[in-house]
Amino acid sequence: LAQVREQAMGKHIELTSALDPAAGECTADRRAVQQIMINLLSNAVKFTPEGGTVKVTSHAQDGYLVLKVADSGIGISENDLARIGQPFYQAQSDYTRAFEGTGLGLSLVRGLLELHQGGMSIESETVKGTTVTVRLPLTGPEKARGAKPVKLSERRPHVLPQGVEGNGDGYDTAIRRTA
């Protein structure tokens, strides 16, 4: 919320949250969940006209943490709704053409949720707004449940792939070369 607050204030958008403390904690990658929320909130603020509202809510349900981002924005047409979340796809309307972007925000959200064995649904109506619902398993992805964390001292040396330089410690920490 703090990262989009200034953007929301600039458009006089009311940004609120109603987070249920009884939801408890969710076992997940903190940076991934932050990225999910930043992308959802940024889109909500971006596509909500001046004076609108954006609200974040959370609760626990059936073993999942449920996060919702609801806005009073332009909404998404039924034709575009089926394709939202595909890489590089952006819904087109007179209003959205005014905004820059790669069309990767919701695709990234979907990918991060799949890695956590979570999910996403979108409800939207043009001119009335959009609600994106995210579900993350409270106990983390099934593959990670009961897995023993690897301590730094237990790392095993290995050969790094071509084009990847090690950091000199002989273990799995690597620095990737980029063009």
Side-chain angles (χ1 to χ4, degrees):
L1 289 170
Q3 290 193 6
V4 298
R5 191 169 308 281
E6 189 173 324
Q7 181 186 5
M9 286 174 40
K11 291 176 71 178
H12 306 286
I13 292 173
E14 181 183 4
L15 186 62
T16 61
S17 65
L19 308 177
D20 182 2
E25 293 184 356
C26 175
T27 302
D29 182 295
R30 180 183 300 272
R31 289 179 298 173
V33 175
Q34 286 175 336
Q35 189 64 56
I36 288 167
M37 294 308 296
I38 288 168
N39 286 9
L40 295 179
L41 286 166
S42 293
N43 277 352
V45 170
K46 180 178 180 179
F47 294 111
T48 296
E50 190 161 325
T53 61
V54 173
K55 184 175 185 175
V56 179
T57 60
S58 73
H59 65 277
Q61 179 182 12
D62 301 326
Y64 286 86
L65 173 64
V66 179
L67 300 163
K68 291 186 180 192
V69 177
D71 66 57
S72 63
I74 62 170
I76 304 166
S77 75
E78 195 173 322
N79 292 337
D80 288 324
L81 201 53
R83 295 189 61 199
I84 289 294
Q86 293 178 359
F88 304 107
Y89 180 76
Q90 292 179 306
Q92 294 295 315
S93 72
D94 290 339
Y95 187 77
T96 59
R97 284 190 196 104
F99 295 96
E100 299 277 331
T102 60
L104 290 174
L106 287 177
S107 175
L108 177 63
V109 166
R110 183 167 296 195
L112 290 171
L113 287 167
E114 286 172 2
L115 287 173
H116 285 83
Q117 295 177 333
M120 171 178 80
S121 64
I122 303 172
E123 296 173 32
S124 189
E125 190 173 338
T126 54
V127 187
K128 292 192 177 184
T130 300
T131 299
V132 179
T133 303
V134 165
R135 294 172 53 87
L136 289 163
L138 287 169
T139 56
E142 206 169 293
K143 293 176 187 171
R145 291 182 204 143
K148 180 181 147 198
V150 177
K151 295 180 183 173
L152 192 59
S153 62
E154 295 174 351
R155 293 187 302 166
R156 293 183 172 77
H158 72 282
V159 178
L160 296 172
Q162 185 177 2
V164 177
E165 296 176 14
N167 69 353
D169 70 357
Y171 291 96
D172 59 359
T173 307
I175 304 167
R176 292 210 176 265
R177 288 186 193 157
T178 56

